[in-house]
């Protein structure tokens, strides 16, 4: 078969102030959360050019909202959002679809996908019929927020 969708997801968090976080913790956070996703995307480009597939990266609310003690984690997730948007500009000329960032927040019970719309995900699922499909559930609160 062919590669139609890459979901690049990595998450590791050391939460400490700039003053107290170790250089090793900083590097491990960047290597996991940002460089790991880069490796996954880079390794998939040739196959996705052939299939005109999709790249989905999983970021975090920490990629758009900073907080105390989150310097390393925030930097890695802000970087991931920027990387995904830049990759969209680089790869769209090949028919690879990405650039719609997915921000995930886990409240212990559900995963909230923002700002990806339900319609976008339905279109993605529809385009993959017969290719294994894609099952996506959106949190009811997000649907209500968006009036969907």
């Amino acid at each position: 078969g062919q590669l139609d969708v890459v979901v690049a997801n990595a998450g590791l968090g050391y939460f400490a102030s700039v003053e107290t976080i170790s250089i090793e913790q900083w590097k491990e956070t960047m290597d996991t959360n940002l460089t790991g996703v880069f490796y996954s995307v880079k390794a998939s480009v040739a196959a996705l050019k052939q299939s005109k597939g999709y790249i989905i990266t999983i970021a975090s609310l920490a990629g758009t909202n900073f907080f105390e003690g989150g310097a390393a984690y925030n930097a890695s997730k802000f970087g991931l959002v920027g990387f995904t948007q830049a990759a969209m500009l680089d790869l769209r000329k090949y028919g690879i679809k990405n650039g719609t960032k997915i921000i995930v927040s886990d409240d212990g019970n559900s995963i909230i996908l923002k700002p990806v719309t339900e319609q976008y995900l339905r279109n993605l699922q529809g385009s993959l019929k017969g290719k294994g499909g894609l099952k996506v559930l959106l949190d009811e609160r997000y649907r209500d927020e968006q009036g969907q």
Side-chain angles (χ1 to χ4, degrees):
Q2 66 183 17
L3 182 63
D4 294 302
V5 178
V6 169
V7 178
N9 181 26
L12 171 96
Y14 289 108
F15 301 97
S17 72
V18 171
E19 181 181 22
T20 60
I21 194 165
S22 72
I23 292 171
E24 293 76 23
Q25 290 171 325
W26 175 273
K27 287 181 179 180
E28 187 177 2
T29 302
M30 295 303 151
D31 285 349
T32 300
N33 298 355
L34 187 53
T35 307
V37 170
F38 164 76
Y39 288 150
S40 296
V41 170
K42 184 163 180 62
S44 69
V45 168
L48 291 172
K49 283 168 83 172
Q50 290 180 346
S51 68
K52 300 196 183 320
Y54 296 83
I55 297 170
I56 299 171
T57 62
I58 308 297
S60 167
L61 289 174
T64 58
N65 300 286
F66 53 88
F67 54 89
E68 185 176 357
Y73 191 73
N74 286 141
S76 70
K77 294 302 183 174
F78 268 82
L80 178 57
V81 170
F83 166 75
T84 302
Q85 292 171 346
M88 180 267 303
L89 296 175
D90 290 344
L91 301 173
R92 65 184 175 183
K93 62 187 164 214
Y94 303 114
I96 298 173
K97 296 122 198 118
N98 78 339
T100 304
K101 63 185 177 183
I102 300 179
I103 300 177
V104 179
S105 173
D106 188 350
D107 66 5
N109 298 311
S110 60
I111 294 177
I112 305 165
L113 301 179
K114 296 180 181 180
V116 175
T117 65
E118 185 171 12
Q119 187 60 49
Y120 172 85
L121 295 171
R122 286 186 196 278
N123 291 344
L124 176 60
Q125 184 174 26
S127 70
L128 297 174
K129 283 196 189 254
K131 299 178 183 177
L134 176 69
K135 183 176 180 183
V136 178
L137 300 174
L138 290 177
D139 183 88
E140 290 297 325
R141 289 171 297 170
Y142 180 62
R143 286 186 187 158
D144 292 342
E145 287 174 7
Q146 300 303 308
Q148 298 179 11

